Amino acid sequence: MSEQLQFSGMPTPIVSAVSSSDHRDDWTHELLKSPTASPIDLFDAYTNSNLDARLRDALLGHASLTTTDLCMALELWTGTLRDRALSVARDPRLLRHYGESQLLQDRAIVAMNPACPGDLVHRLSEDHDACVRGSAAACPNLPTSRRVEMARRDPDPDVREYAHWLLTTKNGRAVAAGERYFDLSGEHGSDPENLGRIISFGMYDVSQPPV
């Protein structure tokens, strides 16, 4: 795609298995193991962007957090905190709410979320905006038959090319299967042409509409 959003709200690639903030990771491990961890502590840990990406995302799936907790946080957070949280949210009701948003970025984030319900991602794959359709193409809940159809007939050539890549390459199939983390030092990093797509799940830079 011509303009890829290096979307800091999205899960970032894992460059190394060794964390540069082991003490913070240890605290996060303790929170994740605690059945009584408070939402305040979980959210406080989540706001630390130096955490290992998998650990950080897991905080928002803790059993102590309710949908109401997460909805309140999404209303308070802005920028990358909010975007990343929405990209890893799992509650279908929350995703349906933001999937109907008038904001292009909200719909695009929900469309690429691996937990996006099948009927919603199918609808988003037909969105009037190409960036939302491109994101939906990467969602594992989108039927392969629909992805094939997008590769053949989507009105935007970049979406067609991206859907084709998702269907025909090892890295693309991993993304379409729900993989969120890639080691840039390994074989996944050997695909520079589509690296931005792996990171951003097909999202355009919304400040520069695709041509």
Side-chain angles (χ1 to χ4, degrees):
M1 292 182 178
S2 56
E3 296 290 345
Q4 290 296 325
L5 175 60
Q6 300 305 306
F7 185 36
S8 51
M10 282 292 299
T12 53
I14 304 301
V15 178
S16 170
V18 179
S19 171
S20 61
S21 55
D22 289 338
H23 61 291
R24 297 187 183 96
D25 288 356
D26 289 345
W27 178 51
T28 302
H29 278 296
E30 291 304 312
L31 284 174
L32 291 172
K33 289 189 295 184
S34 172
T36 59
S38 72
I40 291 176
D41 285 341
L42 292 165
F43 287 147
D44 184 51
Y46 165 77
T47 59
N48 175 18
S49 60
N50 292 322
L51 280 176
D52 174 90
R54 290 181 178 86
L55 287 178
R56 190 183 184 205
D57 292 345
L59 288 163
L60 298 186
H62 195 284
S64 291
L65 291 181
T66 66
T67 299
T68 300
D69 293 327
L70 188 52
C71 285
M72 291 177 64
L74 287 168
E75 291 299 317
L76 293 172
W77 287 333
T78 59
T80 60
L81 280 179
R82 179 184 180 278
D83 293 341
R84 188 180 183 94
L86 186 55
S87 79
V88 297
R90 291 292 178 267
D91 189 283
R93 294 169 298 172
L94 185 150
L95 293 176
R96 290 184 187 281
H97 172 74
Y98 284 98
E100 300 291 344
S101 172
Q102 295 299 309
L103 296 177
L104 161 65
Q105 184 156 311
D106 283 354
R107 299 198 311 278
I109 296 170
V110 170
M112 65 81 206
N113 189 316
C116 184
D119 63 317
L120 177 58
V121 73
H122 192 284
R123 185 161 70 251
L124 292 173
S125 76
E126 299 175 335
D127 194 271
H128 63 85
D129 198 287
C131 77
V132 178
R133 299 198 306 274
S135 295
C139 182
N141 290 329
L142 187 73
T144 300
S145 58
R146 173 61 184 144
R147 195 172 292 116
V148 170
E149 182 181 7
M150 295 175 74
R152 293 174 176 172
R153 301 186 180 90
D154 191 274
D156 187 288
D158 288 331
V159 174
R160 293 198 302 271
E161 194 278 333
Y162 184 54
H164 183 267
W165 177 80
L166 289 164
L167 288 161
T168 60
T169 68
K170 180 178 180 179
N171 290 347
R173 288 191 292 270
V175 171
E179 178 59 64
R180 299 174 63 87
Y181 309 99
F182 290 87
D183 184 350
L184 298 186
S185 64
E187 66 177 278
H188 290 297
S190 65
D191 193 1
E193 181 179 353
N194 286 296
L195 182 56
R197 300 176 187 183
I198 291 174
I199 295 171
S200 63
F201 279 39
M203 292 185 66
Y204 290 98
D205 182 342
V206 296
S207 66
Q208 302 182 38
V211 294

